[in-house]
Structures are given as C-alpha cells and as structure tokens.
Amino acid sequence: MARLVFDTNSLIQCISRRSPYHELWLTFLDGRNQLCVSNEILEEYAEILEIKASPKFSELAIDVIINNPNTLFITPFYHFNMIEKDPDDNKFVDCAVAGQAKFVVTEDNHYKILENLSFPKIDIIGLDDAMRLLI
C-alpha cells in the first residue's frame, strides 16, 4: 500500500469508468493505496469536477473521498513554494511532504523541477508508470 497525492487532472483522468487509468481510482477505493488530501486539494477537486462534469457528480465524488477509510486528511503546516511557474501546484507538494506520500501522481511538467531536489524528496510519477507500479 502506498500513500498517493493525485493532482486534479490526474484524479479526473482516473475517476471515469471509461478511462484506461480507472484502476488507479479503484486502488484507492478498495484499500490497495491511500489518498492524501488537504482542505485546499478537496476544494480544488470540487471546483474542477463541478466544471468538467456537474455539480452533482462533484458532490458525490467528494463525498466518496471524504468518507473513504483510505483517505488521509493532511494539514500542511509548512509551505515550501517549490513550484514557481504554477504556484497552485504547491498545495499538492505540501500535502505529499506532510503526509509522507510515496508519490505525487501527475502529468504536469511543472513538477519536473522537484526531480533535482534532495530535500524534501518527493517522487513524481505519471499515470502510465502509476498503473505499472501501483496496480
């Protein structure tokens, strides 16, 4: 079992039953992996899911996340601000550090800057590699 942080776009790609990445979502639902979230992350998930799907779908998805025993609620007390090109991405990094997540799952190239840092060490993984390593 691994602790994971999904950036919003990765979550959206995993949550659809028609997605080739849906099995990643199922690993969270059935306890093979744990999902680390902060209040900021949940707010962004809700906002974007409402736009991309519908308000009802957003509400249901957030309820599933909040009520799942495999969700770890993290409160980052320190903000590293490591991603300057897209500061909104920092909430996922901060959650990963505070929650001792194994990976941040993302396809966003802004996270590449983290590969060169020795502290805090954050492993970034794309959806295809996550499918290969975490299923």
Side-chain angles (χ1 to χ4, degrees), residues 22 24-33 64-65 68-70:
H22 185 64
L24 286 172
W25 173 252
L26 296 178
T27 70
F28 155 65
L29 294 179
D30 66 20
R32 286 178 279 167
N33 291 303
V64 166
I65 292 170
N68 191 298
N70 303 307

Side-chain angles (χ1 to χ4, degrees), residues 33-75:
N33 291 303
Q34 295 176 308
L35 180 64
C36 298
V37 296
S38 66
N39 285 338
E40 280 185 287
I41 290 172
L42 287 172
E43 288 170 9
E44 182 171 311
Y45 285 172
E47 177 186 345
I48 301 303
L49 284 169
E50 190 171 316
I51 292 167
K52 299 273 186 187
S54 72
K56 186 64 176 171
F57 181 83
S58 175
E59 181 182 330
L60 291 171
I62 296 304
D63 281 348
V64 166
I65 292 170
I66 288 172
N67 293 305
N68 191 298
N70 303 307
T71 300
L72 300 174
F73 297 95
I74 307 299
T75 303

Side-chain angles (χ1 to χ4, degrees), residues 7 9-10 13 82-87 89 93 104-116 124-127:
D7 80 346
N9 289 326
S10 294
Q13 290 186 63
M82 292 188 271
I83 302 176
E84 294 177 4
K85 290 189 177 184
D86 190 353
D89 290 339
V93 174
V104 173
V105 181
T106 183
E107 295 291 321
D108 188 335
N109 286 327
H110 292 134
Y111 290 86
K112 294 242 186 245
I113 192 169
L114 303 176
E115 293 173 354
N116 300 321
I124 306 303
I125 189 170
L127 289 164

